[in-house]
Amino acid sequence: MSSDQRYFLVGVGGSGMMPLAMILAGRGATVAGSDRSLDQGRVPAKFDALRAMGVTLHPQDGSGITSPDQIVVASAAVEETVADLVTATGLGCPRLTRAELNARLFNASPLPIGVAGTSGKSTVTGMIAAILHAAGGDPTVMNGAVMKDFASPDRPFASALVGTGAAYVSEVDDSDGSIALYTPRIAVLNNVSLDHKSLEELNQLFGAFSGKAAHAIVNIDNPDAAALALALPRDRVTRFAIDRAADLQATDIVEEPFAAHFSLGDRRVRLAVPGRHNVANALAAIAATLAAGVPLDQAIAGVEHYTGLKRRFDLIGTAAGVAVIDDFGHNPDKIAATLDTLHAFPGRLLLLFQPHGYGPLKVMRRELVAMFAGKLAAGDRLVMPDPVYQGGTVTREVTSADIVSDIAIAGGDARHIPDREAAAAALVAEAAPGDRIVVMGARDDTLPLLAARMVEMLARR
């Protein structure tokens, strides 16, 4: 990528697009973009941050695309009828998907480190970033979440790092099959479970991804990932686990409300993030950085300084004796991990889960219902508003009401309140001292604002 290239990013404020805009601008390219959320006036602070990085913003009406030498980038979710893409087609602009652009940057780097799996990708990417940065590696990092370690008042949306080192660390998406575009030197496979595709498709994608790497890091606590590891040459894979013997195994795990610590061989590792799932994530990050040449002592020191991601078990505030937590949980495994972490300590759970689309609800219906029915403890309450909808065409075959009905039949305490604000108000009205309110969902960056309003509502009661 040369510094004189011009890019126009359609949906520039998206969680996958914004860090790419940061990386392109940081490397000297001319970057412009548009976003439906910008036109709707949603999350203005995010777009102020993009402007401060030198990204020029336009309405999503085609007016920002003026020359055939602009490279127009859009995610697969952007419809061809959007004015920007219509204009780009008319001018004959080169086109890339978000994944194609990221894969080009990734594959061109001297040390591409790809993090794949159904859950934990952003966290492991952030942990690897923390370790490499602390070890002086100055990595470039493409993350789908804001990394608290690198955020500051003048840089609140730190979902990317632009470094001069060899490593390009990126989470790699499996939802649209674009994982096939990436050629990692080091591949991390955290887990395989149902999300956007069938398990058969996921195993094929993750197996091919791991097989291309010079070295793979695989979680053998996950049965599907463990099976994929068996297909790899033994000298090209590091196996990690917390429940069985492995090359890197965590033992003597002790959980705290917002921390965890464990033994790794003869060393004690102390994390500033909670949950057994984050112990596993830490093992993945340590293993990946060992494969990149970081000494074990430095890898442990780096992961111990990791402070987490926004929207990953993120304590927004406490009022009236009630803690409000914002979390990215949106598929069965992610939600189950958060509930397990919270259930390790006393207190009722009041959950607001906003599904991230009607399509995912259809794919995950049975697994979501089984997970909630099995994980909701006595006294816990689940409230589901309608799925997030930000425009475009959508088929509404399975709704929040359907999921709630199924959970109720299975014995869980669940309610469907279509309007999100009404759902939040209902939980605030019910909350008592000692309760934990958890706001869950993906693809909607206004959820943290909702969680903050809930803290304010609790304080005013």
Side-chain angles (χ1 to χ4, degrees):
M1 187 202 79
S2 61
S3 60
D4 60 350
Q5 286 181 313
R6 299 174 61 200
Y7 291 86
F8 190 96
L9 277 55
V10 184
V12 69
S15 61
M17 200 73 85
M18 187 171 181
L20 283 177
M22 296 177 187
I23 292 170
L24 293 171
R27 291 183 170 184
T30 300
V31 185
S34 67
D35 199 284
R36 184 179 289 153
S37 293
L38 174 66
D39 295 348
Q40 295 170 348
R42 304 169 74 229
V43 198
K46 173 188 291 188
F47 298 104
D48 290 342
L50 282 167
R51 292 187 185 95
M53 296 172 199
V55 177
T56 304
L57 299 177
H58 299 270
Q60 202 169 79
D61 60 4
S63 61
I65 300 175
T66 58
S67 170
D69 66 358
Q70 287 174 287
I71 300 170
V72 176
V73 185
S75 74
V78 176
E79 301 92 345
E80 288 295 321
T81 54
V82 168
D84 287 338
L85 299 189
V86 172
T87 301
T89 299
L91 288 174
C93 297
R95 291 273 302 276
L96 292 173
T97 66
R98 182 203 64 79
E100 286 170 340
L101 172 58
N102 188 43
R104 286 189 182 186
L105 299 171
F106 180 90
N107 294 340
S109 70
L111 180 57
I113 302 174
V115 182
T118 309
S119 303
K121 293 188 292 293
S122 298
T123 296
V124 174
T125 299
M127 287 178 168
I128 293 172
I131 295 170
L132 293 178
H133 186 267
D138 196 22
T140 295
V141 181
M142 209 302 297
N143 203 328
V146 174
M147 297 175 283
K148 293 182 182 180
D149 295 326
F150 305 105
S152 61
D154 61 344
R155 195 171 183 270
F157 296 92
S159 55
L161 294 180
V162 184
T164 59
Y168 189 108
V169 187
S170 179
E171 60 173 287
V172 178
D173 191 13
D174 58 87
S175 64
D176 57 1
S178 61
I179 187 174
L181 300 171
Y182 295 82
T183 305
R185 177 82 61 82
I186 299 170
V188 178
L189 179 53
N190 229 24
N191 42 56
V192 183
S193 61
L194 195 66
D195 193 346
H196 301 277
K197 294 182 177 295
S198 70
L199 281 176
E200 181 180 0
E201 290 177 285
L202 290 172
N203 278 304
Q204 291 174 350
L205 289 169
F206 289 140
F209 174 75
S210 302
K212 287 188 288 188
H215 200 88
I217 314 300
V218 182
N219 176 12
I220 62 168
D221 278 331
N222 178 268
D224 288 270
L228 292 175
L230 291 174
L232 300 172
R234 188 64 187 89
D235 61 347
R236 286 176 45 202
V237 60
T238 297
R239 297 169 168 86
F240 70 91
I242 61 177
D243 291 325
R244 64 187 65 195
D247 303 315
L248 289 183
Q249 182 184 6
T251 58
D252 303 319
I253 298 171
V254 176
E255 296 188 68
E256 299 174 6
F258 289 94
H261 49 100
F262 62 94
S263 292
L264 181 59
D266 60 356
R267 294 169 171 84
R268 197 68 186 162
V269 183
R270 299 184 178 276
L271 302 179
V273 289
R276 290 172 64 86
H277 63 294
N278 275 323
V279 173
N281 289 335
L283 292 177
I286 290 169
T289 53
L290 291 177
V294 177
L296 178 59
D297 287 344
Q298 289 187 35
I300 290 174
V303 83
E304 287 185 328
H305 283 95
Y306 171 79
T307 58
L309 305 175
K310 294 288 184 71
R311 299 228 59 231
R312 281 14 176 225
F313 206 94
D314 196 4
L315 179 63
I316 300 300
T318 301
V322 179
V324 179
I325 296 166
D326 180 36
D327 191 71
F328 193 65
H330 60 280
N331 65 39
D333 275 7
K334 286 185 170 72
I335 296 171
T338 296
L339 298 188
D340 286 344
T341 299
L342 287 161
H343 280 142
F345 302 95
R348 183 173 63 149
L349 303 185
L350 302 178
L351 310 177
L352 188 155
F353 170 47
Q354 177 183 268
H356 61 295
Y358 289 92
L361 275 189
K362 180 180 178 181
V363 172
M364 298 185 294
R365 179 176 185 170
R366 179 182 302 173
E367 289 75 15
L368 270 176
V369 170
M371 182 275 301
F372 276 122
K375 293 292 184 182
L376 290 172
D380 290 350
R381 166 69 64 86
L382 168 67
V383 172
M384 285 181 62
D386 289 337
V388 62
Y389 174 69
Q390 296 172 348
T393 57
V394 64
T395 301
R396 309 186 182 202
E397 293 182 43
V398 177
T399 68
S400 294
D402 295 324
I403 302 298
V404 162
S405 176
D406 290 351
I407 294 170
I409 291 170
D413 187 349
R415 292 175 61 195
H416 172 228
I417 301 179
D419 178 71
R420 192 179 76 175
E421 297 295 330
L427 289 183
V428 167
E430 181 179 347
D435 289 348
R436 284 82 53 82
I437 293 177
V438 189
V439 176
M440 291 180 158
R443 294 183 184 168
D444 185 348
D445 45 21
T446 67
L447 285 171
L449 304 179
L450 177 68
R453 287 198 298 276
M454 294 175 81
V455 175
E456 295 170 357
M457 292 162 67
L458 286 163
R460 291 196 303 265
R461 287 196 319 185

